[in-house]
Every structure is written in C-alpha cells, then in structure tokens.
Amino acid sequence: MTIYSRITGTGSYLPPNRLSNADLVAQLAAQGVDTSDDWIVERTGIRARHFAAPGVFSSDLGLEAARRALQAAGLEAQAIDLIIVATSTPDMVFPSTACILQNKLGANGCAAFDVQAVCSGFVYALTIADAMIKTGAATKALVIGAEVFSRILDFKDRTTCVLFGDGAGAVVLEASSTPGILASDLHADGKHVGILCVPGHVSGGGVLGEPLLRMDGQAVFKLAVGVLDEAARATLAKAGKTEADIDWLIPHQANIRIMQSTARKLKLSMDKVVVTVDQHGNTSAASIPLALDSAVRSGKIKPGETLMLEGVGGGFTWGAVLLTL
Ligand code: UT7
C-alpha cells in the first residue's frame, strides 16, 4: 500500500503584544526614525504586528501553536514521532529549538530537529516531513514555523523594522492511505546570500559582525515574484494539475504587492489568496502556517480543498507545496 501524508490539524499563536502601525510609528518617531502608516500600508499592506515579551522565545510561541494543532488533530503529544521546527531565530545556537520545544511539550524521545531556510523554512520542513512519512521513517509529525524576528531587527533602519513580526504556526502531518501532500518543489541559490541576511556570528564569547537583519528590499522583491511563479508551476506539473485546480493560494506573507503579482501570474483572483500579512507582518517561517491556520479556523478553507503554499526568503531560498486538506 502506498503511504501518503495528510495534514490532520493546524494551530497558531501570536504573542499578545500587538503594535498597530500607529503604535510603531510613534515609538520610532521618539527615536528619531521617520516613517508613516500610509507608507507602510501602501508599500506592504501591513497594518499591525505582534512582538514577543522579553524572555519569550521561538520555542514558547511554537509550543502554543503545536498544542493547538495537536488538539485539532485529536492527538496527545506522546503520539508524535517527529518534530521539525523551521526557524531563523532559534532559542540558542544549539541545541535545536525543536529539542527545547519537544521537552516543553512532553514528547520526549521522538526525532526532533530544526530547518534553517529563513522565510521558505515551512515549505522546506513540510517537504522533509512528507518524505519521512512516505518512507516510513515517521508516522505522526509536528511541523512548526516559529520566529521572534523582533530580536534581530534594527529599529534605526526604517526600511526593515516596520516589516517583521513574531509568531508561530504548526501542522500535524500524519501517514494516510489517501494523498494529502500532492507535490513539492524546493530551490536555493546561495549567490544571493547578501541581499537578505543577519551576517553576525558567535566567536570567542561574543558576536562578531552585524547581528541585525539587513535586506536589499528591491532585489528581494524582484527575485521573489519570478521564483514564486516558477515554483508554483513546477509543483503543479509534478502533481499533474493546473492553476484551475488551486482552491487557495497561501503565499509567504511578506508584502501584499508580491502576493498580488503571484496571483495574477497564476490567473487567480485575490479572493483565492489567503492574506494575513495585514495582521501580523512578515513572520518569516511562521507566516504560511499562521495564514493556513487562520483560514482553516475561520471556515474559509474547507476539508477536501486544494492549497498551494509558497515560500521565499533569505538564502536565497524558495519553494512550493501543493496539498489537499
Ligand atoms: O521575507 C523575505 C522576503 N522579503 C520580502 O519579500 C521583502 C521584499 N521587498 C519589499 O517588500 C519592498 O521592497 C519593501 C517594502 C522593503 C520596500 O518597498 P519599495 O517599494 O521597494 O520601496 P523602496 O525601497 O524603493 O523605497 C522607496 C522610498 C525610498 O525613499 P526615496 O529614496 O525614494 O526618497 C525609501 O527611503 O521609500 C523610503 N522608505 C520609507 N519611507 C517611509 C523606505 N522605508 C520607508 C519607511 N517609511 N519605513
């Protein structure tokens, strides 16, 4: 019998401290940084973001999202045999955030590791979990995207600090006799390392180099719109499907203009695109599972529908996953 993998539960979590654009603009103005609600909304579609309190880490946000996904799947934590956390803001250099989260969840003993593919992290992690389930290496996986990007933002750099937020999203992926994940397509091109990075590294008891996020927004924008279309088309071809088979597009939530362009290229109306960037900004690896969970819980996405998930980000990395819920 062929083994497939299916999403059986979704969950997400946003830390309670919500900053509207007006809140952030006022805070930045007090530090002499000039920006506006109008600029942020017009250029990005972002209206608010959430920031984790001091002492709250990616594992804490991921833990809440994971608990909600487990509850939706009707599973106890002990049933899980694989945990993958996609994050670029891990709790520690090592061990992995997945190990820390596993212990907090009480799922000790199962395989647990992190995936570092920045904003494409969730589609990478989901693809790995799918492959492990198909080979029989796992049967019930938690795939989590969790980030505290507020910790790596330079609040003197208005071109980046207004864009990102903190949060987590999770899915339970289980072995199934019927297909859930239909196809995926992953890519990276390391020659673009410099356009989106946190270049610092730990050495000799300190951080050497810049420990804050640096981005060439226009370069990222241009690359993103091209590669997202390519990845979506390659994934559809692998699954033997066409654009017409997509019920919902769930792109990485970075900028509404990138999403509009991606939808246009796929001949999809914006009614078929799940948009949450307005409410949580760019949460990197957490953005896709956050958007997925919000659309599932609101009843927008229904069981049996076909979803195209698309990630893009630092690396440069990109990829897509086509699945039936
Ligand atoms: O998660 C990984 C994926 N990341 C992304 O997808 C990000 C992709 N890039 C973007 O979303 C956009 O490039 C940005 C939102 C980052 C920037 O939008 P843009 O339309 O490319 O603006 P720009 O960089 O061309 O800047 C236009 C103007 C500049 O002023 P001048 O030179 O025209 O006078 C900037 O200095 O806007 C200015 N500006 C701002 N003004 C007010 C830049 N940031 C701000 C700001 N508030 N926060």
Side-chain angles (χ1 to χ4, degrees), residues 26-67:
Q27 281 188 15
L28 292 172
Q31 298 159 38
V33 176
D34 177 29
T35 183
S36 67
D37 174 48
D38 282 353
W39 190 95
I40 301 169
V41 172
E42 191 184 309
R43 301 287 177 133
T44 71
I46 297 167
R47 293 178 186 277
R49 75 286 294 138
H50 292 242
F51 286 161
V56 173
F57 295 97
S58 289
S59 67
D60 299 308
L61 306 184
L63 177 67
E64 289 306 319
R67 283 186 174 141

Side-chain angles (χ1 to χ4, degrees), residues 34-36 39-40 43-44 119 158-160 162-164 196 215-218 220-221 224 252 254-255 257-258 282 284 312-314:
D34 177 29
T35 183
S36 67
W39 190 95
I40 301 169
R43 301 287 177 133
T44 71
C119 303
R158 68 176 184 173
T159 68
T160 53
V162 300
L163 305 176
F164 295 90
L196 177 49
M215 178 169 74
D216 177 345
Q218 286 196 1
V220 172
F221 194 107
H252 171 46
N255 186 321
R257 292 186 291 138
I258 297 177
N282 183 345
S284 192
V312 63

